[in-house]
Amino acid sequence: MPKTQQEQDARRAAKRAVKEAERSAKETRSLASSLPREVRPRVDALADVERARIRRAKDEVARSPRRARRDARLASARLERMAVRYGTAAGRASSRDASRRGGAPKAIKRQRVQVKQAKSMGVVTGIRTLLVSLFTPTDRKSQQKVAKRRARRVKFGTA
C-alpha cells in the first residue's frame, strides 16, 4: 500500500529524532567516562534506561512514527538534563539550545568539555605552582640584586 506524503514525513521526522537521541546517548557515554567515579554509576544507570527507550522508539518508527518521535525526543531531553545535572555546570547550563536542530547532543558535548576543563585546570595549576617555586628567586637573592643595583648607581652617580 503506498504511503501518503504525511506518513512519509512523519517517518522521516521520527528517524531524525531517533538519530539525534542516539547521538545524545553516545555523548552521554563519553561524558560518563570523564565524570568522577562516585557519579559515574548513576549516570550509566540513567543512560541505560534512556538507551532502552531509544531502542523501543527505533523499533516503533514503522508502526507509529509519532510515538517513536515523541519517545526519542523525550529520551534525548532526559539525557541532556542528566548531563546538565551531573556535569560541572551543576544545573546552571541552559537547555535552550536543545530546541535547535541537533541541540541536545551538542549541549551534552559542552558539558563534557566543561568536565575536561575542570580536570585539566588542577593539573595546569599544579605545574604552574611547581615552576614558580623553582624559578622564583629567594628573598636573599633578591636582596643581593637590589644591593648590587644600588652599588652601581652610587658608583656611576645616578643614585
Side-chain angles (χ1 to χ4, degrees):
M1 181 168 99
K3 306 291 183 221
T4 65
Q5 187 65 37
Q6 199 172 17
E7 289 173 339
Q8 289 175 349
D9 291 344
R11 281 195 176 88
R12 280 191 205 107
K15 285 179 183 177
R16 271 196 302 272
V18 168
K19 284 290 182 192
E20 182 177 334
E22 287 173 340
R23 281 195 299 273
S24 295
K26 181 181 175 187
E27 287 297 334
T28 303
R29 254 181 270 134
S30 300
L31 173 69
S33 67
S34 60
L35 287 173
R37 283 198 178 103
E38 58 272 3
V39 178
R40 203 174 298 165
R42 279 183 268 169
V43 172
D44 284 334
L46 290 169
D48 286 341
V49 170
E50 297 309 321
R51 279 189 215 112
R53 183 187 305 263
I54 293 168
R55 277 193 301 274
R56 281 194 308 271
K58 195 173 187 177
D59 294 338
E60 195 75 22
V61 168
R63 287 186 301 254
S64 177
R66 287 185 183 89
R67 178 183 291 163
R69 181 174 173 223
R70 186 184 64 224
D71 285 348
R73 283 186 167 186
L74 181 67
S76 189
R78 284 184 176 178
L79 288 169
E80 182 193 3
R81 263 186 260 128
M82 179 189 48
V84 170
R85 186 181 317 133
Y86 291 112
T88 55
R92 290 188 310 260
S94 72
S95 56
R96 289 180 303 206
D97 298 335
S99 60
R100 290 190 212 148
R101 189 170 175 209
K106 288 181 182 177
I108 295 169
K109 190 173 188 175
R110 273 195 297 277
Q111 289 297 320
R112 184 167 48 93
V113 168
Q114 286 182 2
V115 169
K116 281 186 178 179
Q117 281 177 338
K119 279 185 172 183
S120 66
M121 228 185 304
V123 173
V124 169
T125 304
I127 290 172
R128 283 184 181 163
T129 305
L130 179 68
L131 290 174
V132 166
S133 68
L134 289 174
F135 295 112
T136 302
T138 61
D139 289 340
R140 185 176 175 191
K141 282 188 179 180
S142 62
Q143 286 172 355
Q144 286 174 345
K145 278 186 178 180
V146 169
K148 231 181 195 181
R149 283 191 201 122
R150 283 185 185 149
R152 276 195 205 120
R153 285 191 199 129
V154 168
K155 184 178 177 183
F156 294 114
T158 58

